[in-house]
């Protein structure tokens, strides 16, 4: 089974190499083939230089350099277009969605579902960010048809068939979870640990 790992990167020059190396080690140790698609979402530091170095070291790593900051969900969509795996793992670039937890999500696909969302028992985020996440979840349930009992997150794994349907969406206004919810209702949560941010600050604002 080949796992495509899509990571939107925003001012992560100091940490993205660790995210990739630790995630790759987890996948290889469990016998998975892999590829990484790293999307620089308009960072003006040396994030893309760090991505280019990783690409030179491993041919199964691809780098995309967006011309400006389009936002996390558009960056993810750009990455999805370059994936070829049997399943796609989405994770962040800051070690909060930690590589040590990715196998729990992938194994969740063994239950015959299409999507596995991480569910965090304790969020290592600010009160502001938690409130924003709660409001986003409320609007998702109302507008996008989130199945009852499911908690969404940006740390997830989906089957290739879900990705393929999502790629038909052509609008510039993208919400990844909304596209997932309109594609399938065969999904579960797997509880994982949420880690402290290793580097930088959240780019989310009001």
């Amino acid at each position: 089974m080949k796992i495509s790992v899509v990571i939107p990167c925003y001012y992560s020059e100091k940490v993205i190499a660790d995210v990739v190396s630790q995630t790759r080690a987890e996948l290889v140790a469990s016998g998975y083939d892999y590829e990484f698609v790293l999307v620089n979402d308009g960072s003006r530091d040396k994030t893309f230089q760090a991505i280019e170095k990783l690409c030179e070291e491993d041919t199964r790593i691809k780098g995309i350099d967006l011309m400006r900051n389009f936002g996390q969900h558009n960056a993810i969509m750009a990455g999805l277009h370059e994936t070829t795996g049997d399943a796609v793992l989405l994770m962040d670039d800051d070690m909060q969605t930690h590589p040590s937890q990715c196998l729990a999500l992938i194994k969740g696909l063994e239950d015959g579902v299409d999507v596995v969302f991480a569910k965090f028992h304790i969020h290592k985020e600010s009160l502001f960010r938690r409130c924003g996440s709660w409001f986003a979840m409320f609007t998702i349930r109302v507008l996008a048809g989130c199945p009852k009992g499911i908690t969404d997150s940006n740390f997830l794994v989906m089957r290739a068939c879900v990705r393929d349907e999502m790629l038909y969406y052509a609008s510039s206004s993208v919400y990844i979870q909304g596209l997932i919810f309109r594609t399938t209702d065969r999904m579960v949560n797997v509880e994982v640990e949420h880690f402290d941010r290793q580097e930088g600050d959240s780019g989310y604002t009001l």
Side-chain angles (χ1 to χ4, degrees):
M1 184 177 184
K2 182 178 180 180
I3 308 296
S4 298
V5 185
V6 176
I7 307 177
C9 303
Y10 190 64
Y11 289 93
S12 53
E13 62 171 296
K14 296 179 180 179
V15 70
I16 189 59
D18 288 340
V19 175
V20 169
S21 64
Q22 292 184 32
T23 304
R24 178 173 50 202
E26 294 284 339
L27 296 174
V28 171
S30 293
Y32 292 110
D33 191 8
Y34 69 88
E35 68 178 0
F36 286 82
V37 182
L38 310 177
V39 184
N40 179 39
D41 189 20
S43 307
R44 300 305 179 196
D45 61 352
K46 295 181 180 179
T47 294
F48 193 64
Q49 287 92 322
I51 291 172
E52 287 181 311
K53 186 173 186 295
L54 291 168
C55 293
E56 292 171 359
E57 296 169 350
D58 188 338
T59 58
R60 285 179 283 186
I61 299 176
K62 305 175 185 178
I64 300 173
D65 191 21
L66 301 183
M67 291 185 289
R68 65 172 179 84
N69 178 241
F70 285 90
Q72 183 181 33
H73 292 260
N74 281 290
I76 289 171
M77 282 296 287
L80 290 179
H81 279 277
E82 299 299 322
T83 58
T84 61
D86 304 298
V88 179
L89 174 70
L90 305 184
M91 60 192 301
D92 294 337
D93 62 345
D94 56 11
M95 286 291 190
Q96 285 197 292
T97 57
H98 201 271
S100 64
Q101 308 296 296
C102 66
L103 293 180
L105 299 185
I106 295 169
K107 290 178 180 178
L109 290 176
E110 296 175 359
D111 294 332
V113 298
D114 296 322
V115 182
V116 181
F117 284 107
K119 183 177 182 180
F120 305 114
H121 179 61
I122 298 176
H123 278 263
K124 298 296 184 70
E125 295 173 334
S126 67
L127 177 62
F128 170 80
R129 179 66 187 275
R130 292 199 302 272
C131 289
S133 296
W134 176 87
F135 180 75
M137 192 65 222
F138 174 78
T139 56
I140 288 168
R141 290 192 181 283
V142 173
L143 300 176
C146 176
K148 290 184 178 179
I150 293 294
T151 299
D152 85 304
S153 76
N154 291 324
F155 192 20
L156 64 96
V157 63
M158 70 180 89
R159 295 189 185 277
C161 57
V162 177
R163 172 205 59 205
D164 293 344
E165 287 299 315
M166 292 170 64
L167 292 180
Y168 286 117
Y169 186 76
S171 172
S172 60
S173 299
V174 178
Y175 199 86
I176 294 298
Q177 286 85 344
L179 294 179
I180 290 172
F181 296 147
R182 82 172 193 173
T183 300
T184 182
D185 58 7
R186 298 189 301 185
M187 58 189 70
V188 296
N189 281 124
V190 169
E191 191 163 300
V192 299
E193 186 177 352
H194 200 225
F195 285 64
D196 289 316
R197 181 185 297 274
Q198 182 169 311
E199 185 73 29
D201 299 309
S202 172
Y204 278 92
T205 65
L206 182 60

